[in-house]
Amino acid sequence: MAGTSYILQPIGTKNRVITLDILRGCAVLGILLMSIQSFSMPYSAYLHPLSFENLEGLNLYAWLISHVFANGKFSAMLAMLFGAGIIMISQKARKEHMRSSKLQYRRLFVLLLIGILHAYLLWFGDLLMAFSICGLFMFAFRSKSKAYLFKSGIIFLVVGSGLKLMLAYSIPFWEPGQFQLLESELWNPSAQEITNQISYYRGTWEQQMLNRVPDAFFMQTKIFFSEVFWKVSGLMLLGMAFYKKGVLIGKQSKKYLSKMFIYGIGLGLPLVVSGVLLDFHYRWSFELSYFYFSQFNYWGGVLMAIGYCGFIVLLCKISTRSFIAKSLSYVGRMSLSNYLMQSIICSFIFYGHGLSLYGDLDRSAQVVAVLALWVFQIVFSAIWLSYFQFGPFEWAWRSLSYGRTQPIRK
């Protein structure tokens, strides 16, 4: 067809929506505040901070800031933006009287392959597999109305929350010892288990695989189907609704965006803080904190992510020409490359094929590492994009998705 060669091309640099790039940049940088904890410490410390170290002084403040303001918030933003991207490509194709199904499925399949490699070779906490699988299902909602998308998104989120509560209610009916086994795996591993995990990740890449592969498989099966699928799918649908409403591209009024920010943070932040207070009050009880009190951050994180989006887009309506805005847009244009680069760099810093600092850096030192990596990624993105149109992994993803090698140099 006449328009095929035009349709099946990535959006050019001049046609990019800078607001979306800035949102992606904020999301990718913000995710590192939490992901660095699972790179540098045993996994239980991500869920239960007292399982590996005492929270005192600067470490307490570092954990509080990362948990309250980052945990589940920036990943939620990224999921919403991914959903918005599905709508954006569909609308572009529809404008040219074309179908985007083949391109979208190929794009998601390539991302799935990248996610598998990322999860099993570098980091078990990969998000790309979840985004690609959820995207394959949520693509069917692309033509629905804004109201339908919003309601469907809430339903998916409710199901994800409800499944965890139902699991908690079923505990009395579990097999003997099953609850204690789950607690030891996720919440309170023995000193020997922690020592083994540190030994694996400080060892060779092959030794790391002994721990990484089962962890990645567990995340992509039990955790994915019981929790992640529902939450990520719900967030994607919300992102689709907000994109169609013009929120994420700055077409809504400042008053509307201000309300998003005020209600999102005003309702979400107290929920998250309440969950933290309950955790400490009940001394981080596995049953209470993991199954029940986590719900405060589950819903509070969604609300805060919406508030973050409203605030960032509001600032973008004022100006996108500042140094900070441009720097964040560069990071966002290379969001996939920067996300994978974080894993490459962190695995080198903490794992045995690099500096072997796994288990050595406390939370306050991790914040310093995050700030240093932020500076590096901002500078690297700006320099790279002064010579090239796409990030290196964006170029590979797009070339495979569009079925032809994309020109990368400016």
Side-chain angles (χ1 to χ4, degrees), residues 273-399:
V273 172
S274 297
V276 172
L277 294 175
L278 288 169
D279 284 330
F280 280 100
H281 180 74
Y282 287 94
R283 300 182 179 180
W284 290 90
S285 159
F286 173 56
E287 183 175 350
L288 293 176
S289 291
Y290 181 74
F291 292 101
Y292 295 103
F293 300 157
S294 61
Q295 296 296 311
F296 288 88
N297 191 61
Y298 180 96
W299 289 105
V302 172
L303 289 167
M304 288 183 69
I306 292 172
Y308 287 173
C309 289
F311 180 70
I312 294 167
V313 176
L314 180 62
L315 293 180
C316 289
K317 285 183 74 72
I318 298 172
S319 175
T320 56
R321 297 182 179 181
S322 67
F323 172 77
I324 294 177
K326 288 182 178 179
S327 298
L328 290 171
S329 72
Y330 295 148
V331 175
R333 284 172 58 185
M334 294 176 53
S335 56
L336 177 61
S337 294
N338 280 310
Y339 175 72
L340 293 173
M341 187 191 304
Q342 290 173 359
S343 295
I344 294 170
I345 294 174
C346 285
S347 65
F348 177 79
I349 293 173
F350 297 108
Y351 295 166
H353 59 266
L355 302 180
S356 298
L357 294 179
Y358 189 86
D360 282 346
L361 266 64
D362 60 19
R363 295 178 191 274
S364 59
Q366 292 168 26
V367 172
V368 175
V370 168
L371 294 175
L373 194 47
W374 281 356
V375 172
F376 171 77
Q377 292 200 296
I378 288 170
V379 173
F380 177 81
S381 298
I383 294 174
W384 180 275
L385 290 174
S386 66
Y387 294 98
F388 303 102
Q389 297 187 69
F390 316 121
F393 286 101
E394 282 78 9
W395 172 79
W397 185 21
R398 294 178 182 208
S399 295

Side-chain angles (χ1 to χ4, degrees), residues 246-289:
V247 171
L248 301 178
I249 53 178
K251 290 187 176 181
Q252 280 291 344
S253 66
K254 292 181 180 179
K255 182 179 180 181
Y256 184 95
L257 295 169
S258 298
K259 286 183 177 180
M260 275 184 65
F261 170 62
I262 293 170
Y263 287 118
I265 303 300
L267 296 174
L269 184 58
L271 276 176
V272 175
V273 172
S274 297
V276 172
L277 294 175
L278 288 169
D279 284 330
F280 280 100
H281 180 74
Y282 287 94
R283 300 182 179 180
W284 290 90
S285 159
F286 173 56
E287 183 175 350
L288 293 176
S289 291

Side-chain angles (χ1 to χ4, degrees), residues 18-174:
I18 191 170
T19 303
L20 289 174
D21 286 332
I22 291 172
L23 285 167
R24 288 191 193 97
C26 291
V28 169
L29 293 179
I31 280 176
L32 185 60
L33 279 168
M34 290 307 300
S35 63
I36 195 170
Q37 295 181 30
S38 62
F39 275 110
S40 60
M41 308 166 79
Y43 177 62
S44 62
Y46 186 97
L47 300 172
H48 177 201
L50 299 180
S51 67
F52 184 65
E53 64 177 4
N54 294 322
L55 288 182
E56 298 175 349
L58 290 177
N59 287 331
L60 174 60
Y61 294 119
W63 180 83
L64 283 172
I65 290 171
S66 63
H67 177 78
V68 172
F69 295 101
N71 189 11
K73 289 77 178 177
F74 292 105
S75 58
M77 282 179 61
L78 207 57
M80 287 192 286
L81 292 167
F82 195 87
I86 292 174
I87 298 295
M88 184 169 60
I89 294 175
S90 297
Q91 289 182 346
K92 182 176 184 291
R94 192 179 301 116
K95 185 178 179 181
E96 298 295 327
H97 309 290
M98 296 289 293
R99 295 175 62 87
S100 67
S101 305
K102 184 177 180 180
L103 168 62
Q104 298 260 28
Y105 288 133
R106 188 188 302 165
R107 176 174 175 264
L108 292 168
F109 179 72
V110 172
L111 188 66
L112 175 64
L113 296 179
I114 296 173
I116 291 173
L117 293 174
H118 179 226
Y120 286 93
L121 301 183
L122 281 178
W123 181 48
F124 68 91
D126 165 75
L127 293 174
L128 302 179
M129 278 192 67
F131 282 14
S132 59
I133 295 172
C134 293
L136 286 169
F137 288 95
M138 296 307 105
F139 178 65
F141 289 79
R142 66 193 181 282
S143 300
K144 301 298 182 181
S145 67
K146 298 184 288 290
Y148 188 95
L149 289 168
F150 188 81
K151 291 176 182 177
S152 300
I154 297 299
I155 290 172
F156 271 87
L157 290 170
V158 168
V159 171
S161 176
L163 285 175
K164 195 161 190 177
L165 291 174
M166 289 173 62
L167 185 63
Y169 294 146
S170 71
I171 289 175
F173 306 100
W174 290 11

